[in-house]
Amino acid sequence: MTPPIPAKHENGLPRHRPLRLGILGSGQGSNAQAILDAIRRGALQAEVVCVVSDVADAPILERARCQDIPAHFIDAAPFKTKLDGAGEQRVIQTLRAAAVDVVVLAGFMRIVKTGMLTAFANRIVNIHPSLLPAFPGMASWKQALDYGVKVSGCTVHFVDDGMDAGPILAQRAVPVLENDTPETLHARIQEQEHGLYPEALDWLAWGRVSLRGRHVHIAPPPDKEAAQ
Ligand code: GRF
């Protein structure tokens, strides 16, 4: 008999199938949708066990409700740009109650602080719309255009206490075109995000990811048929 797969890898990295995802977002939720679509077509061995938003009427919550996924609005006031204090505690309780393996930030517009980083050490990932370390922070597609780069892209990274600074799991490049506006460039980057984020999460589900300091190593794909 095959021994059960340990739920966690070295360094507390998740390794679990199906991976139990808790998604945090403040906006449209197109990445959340891409993750749900990838799960449905069997490209990502995961389930979304809850969606949490700090914005009561965020479309991401409505998307989750329509697909029968538990959706929670958690008021993070009085803070505006960080998740801290009572709001942070409520988010942690919600994610723990749903037995979340990996916290997926998908357009979550707050900085996560020590409470979350400790509760989910090496188990929080984010997607950022630039090739980090270039253009961390807000509206990176606009920063890229203003700077005049010819290539931008997106980055999936582990979250640490820096701003868009944690170890990089995956990146995809996107050309910047002559006639790009902030909107057209962001749309082209988002198209790549929707493929990259589910792919990187699937690596975690299959225990292919290991972390050595800042360096994230991705092991070759397993024989999925044999491992089922
Ligand atoms: C994405 O572009 C992501 O890179 C950034 O916020 C945006 C979220 O979009 N962190 P959506 O809510 O997933 O549509």
Side-chain angles (χ1 to χ4, degrees):
M1 212 174 93
T2 328
I5 309 164
K8 283 188 196 165
H9 205 279
E10 56 194 303
N11 296 335
L13 290 181
R15 176 197 184 128
H16 193 83
R17 290 196 307 277
L19 201 59
R20 294 175 66 83
L21 306 178
I23 302 184
L24 266 60
S26 309
Q28 290 302 319
S30 68
N31 279 286
Q33 189 61 58
I35 288 166
L36 287 162
D37 293 345
I39 292 171
R40 206 162 292 133
R41 58 171 195 274
L44 165 56
Q45 293 273 309
E47 56 186 312
V48 177
V49 293
C50 65
V51 170
V52 173
S53 184
D54 58 327
V55 176
D57 59 355
I60 192 172
L61 287 177
E62 195 45 39
R63 279 186 202 265
R65 288 187 194 110
C66 291
Q67 294 165 82
D68 293 325
I69 292 160
H72 310 266
F73 160 63
I74 294 181
D75 191 351
F79 307 108
K80 288 194 165 40
T81 56
K82 62 179 180 178
L83 181 65
D84 211 344
E88 179 191 58
Q89 287 311 310
R90 278 198 295 274
V91 171
I92 292 172
Q93 278 160 18
T94 304
L95 296 170
R96 280 194 171 141
V100 161
D101 294 315
V102 176
V103 181
V104 176
L105 305 186
F108 188 61
M109 301 305 284
R110 287 173 187 269
I111 295 170
V112 297
K113 308 293 290 181
T114 322
M116 280 283 288
L117 293 172
T118 308
F120 296 96
N122 290 341
R123 293 192 290 138
I124 309 179
V125 291
N126 182 41
I127 189 150
H128 183 78
S130 75
L131 291 178
L132 289 170
F135 314 127
M138 303 289 282
S140 346
W141 56 90
K142 186 166 181 309
Q143 293 185 52
L145 271 186
D146 291 347
Y147 195 92
V149 293
K150 301 297 186 196
V151 177
S152 191
C154 50
T155 303
V156 177
H157 63 95
F158 286 103
V159 175
D160 66 7
D161 58 1
M163 159 80 92
D164 301 320
I168 291 174
L169 251 165
Q171 293 187 300
R172 251 184 217 176
V174 168
V176 178
L177 305 181
E178 281 299 316
N179 54 357
D180 260 334
T181 62
E183 292 72 30
T184 58
L185 179 57
H186 189 205
R188 194 171 324 106
I189 291 172
Q190 279 214 306
E191 250 178 68
Q192 294 306 315
E193 290 182 346
H194 297 161
L196 188 67
Y197 215 176
E199 188 180 345
L201 291 168
D202 196 55
W203 299 342
L204 285 167
W206 287 89
R208 293 175 58 192
V209 179
S210 57
L211 197 51
R212 308 253 186 287
R214 277 213 62 84
H215 297 270
V216 180
H217 296 279
I218 316 296
D223 179 349
K224 292 191 178 181
E225 300 267 305
Q228 290 298 345

